[in-house]
């Protein structure tokens, strides 16, 4: 139910669940004007401003999906809703997200449909790209290391100081290999090491700003 919404984290991921035994809560908003039942709830907090996409592609039944903001059922505000945007009776919701805002994701069955839910999500930065990273333990602290950039990065790039709730302390080897249209990079003070060839073949790169601290 809404109060026990399962927490999702990170800029991308996937989970599986089932709505076979799920029900509707008293006062629960229905996704759109469609007849829906057997809803399951998740919550996800955006780590940065950007765009997010959630979908149920791969689910085994006819899904409906809605994205909300708000603190309780009575105050929920709809952000976006969808029935069959994912194809094959699955749903897809895309929306602009704001750093620090918690979004509630509701997936239900069209009519009385039920089965296995496959939920995928991906958040992209204002450049339309998602960061790829891995986590590791450093002196008892969970940190993030950027392991691969994206050759679509262009213009001015600011590397985030945190990903998935973990401080970004390392840029991996060849992380931004071949980003030929990248012009400048601003590195946050959280970074303590930059891997070999992190910006190799970034032929258009003109400047890299590293904090004095």
């Amino acid at each position: 139910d809404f109060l026990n919404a399962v927490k999702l984290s990170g800029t991308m991921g996937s989970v599986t669940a089932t709505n076979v035994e799920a029900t509707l809560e008293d006062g629960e908003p229905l996704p759109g004007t469609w007849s829906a039942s057997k809803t399951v709830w998740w919550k996800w907090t955006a780590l940065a401003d950007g765009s997010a996409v959630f979908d149920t592609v791969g689910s085994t039944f006819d899904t409906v999906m809605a994205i909300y903001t708000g603190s309780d059922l009575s105050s929920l505000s709809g952000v976006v809703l969808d029935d069959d945007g994912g194809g094959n009776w699955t749903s897809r919701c895309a929306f602009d997200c704001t750093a620090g805002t918690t979004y509630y994701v509701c997936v239900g069955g069209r009519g009385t449909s039920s089965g296995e839910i496959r939920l995928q999500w991906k958040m992209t930065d204002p450049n339309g790209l998602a960061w790829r990273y891995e986590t590791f333990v450093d002196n008892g602290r969970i940190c993030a290391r950027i392991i691969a950039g994206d050759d679509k990065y262009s213009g001015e790039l600011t590397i985030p100081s945190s990903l998935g709730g973990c401080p970004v302390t390392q840029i991996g080897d060849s992380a931004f290999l071949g980003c030929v249209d990248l012009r400048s990079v601003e590195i946050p003070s959280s970074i303590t090491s930059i891997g070999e060839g992190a910006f190799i073949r970034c032929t258009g790169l003109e400047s890299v700003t590293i904090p004095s601290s």
Side-chain angles (χ1 to χ4, degrees):
D1 57 22
F2 177 83
L3 289 178
N4 296 314
V6 177
K7 182 180 179 180
L8 305 174
S9 61
T11 55
M12 64 180 71
S14 63
V15 294
T16 58
T18 179
N19 74 329
V20 171
E21 300 295 331
T23 59
L24 288 175
E25 292 180 76
D26 290 338
E28 179 176 339
L30 292 178
T33 59
W34 312 294
S35 173
S37 63
K38 298 178 177 293
T39 56
V40 181
W41 290 80
W42 290 267
K43 60 182 178 181
W44 174 80
T45 301
L47 302 175
D49 293 345
S51 300
V53 176
F54 284 74
D55 69 63
T56 60
V57 174
S59 298
T60 63
F61 64 100
D62 188 354
T63 64
V64 292
M65 179 194 291
I67 310 295
Y68 300 98
T69 57
S71 58
D72 55 58
L73 284 177
S74 63
S75 66
L76 289 181
S77 177
V79 176
V80 63
L81 51 87
D82 182 68
D83 183 9
D84 296 329
N88 295 319
W89 312 111
T90 64
S91 311
R92 181 181 186 275
C93 287
F95 57 98
D96 293 334
C97 56
T98 302
T101 299
T102 296
Y103 297 89
Y104 286 88
V105 182
C106 177
V107 176
R110 178 74 181 265
T112 59
S113 299
S114 65
E116 181 182 83
I117 301 170
R118 290 186 58 85
L119 179 67
Q120 293 81 216
W121 72 95
K122 179 179 180 180
M123 193 201 87
T124 58
D125 67 10
N127 292 316
L129 301 166
W131 294 91
R132 301 186 183 96
Y133 65 96
E134 63 184 4
T135 58
F136 64 98
V137 178
D138 182 16
N139 292 324
R141 182 177 66 158
I142 301 177
C143 301
R145 175 191 298 119
I146 295 174
I147 57 174
D150 189 308
D151 60 13
K152 296 179 183 178
Y153 276 122
S154 62
E156 300 178 353
L157 177 68
T158 298
I159 294 176
S161 59
S162 67
L163 288 169
C166 303
V168 178
T169 61
Q170 297 183 5
I171 299 175
D173 296 345
S174 305
F176 296 94
L177 171 67
C179 295
V180 296
D181 294 321
L182 194 58
R183 295 292 176 260
S184 67
V185 176
E186 183 173 345
I187 295 176
S189 58
S190 61
I191 296 292
T192 58
S193 72
I194 300 175
E196 182 177 355
F199 299 100
I200 192 170
R201 298 179 188 170
C202 295
T203 53
L205 186 59
E206 299 172 353
S207 67
V208 176
T209 302
I210 302 176
S212 58
S213 57

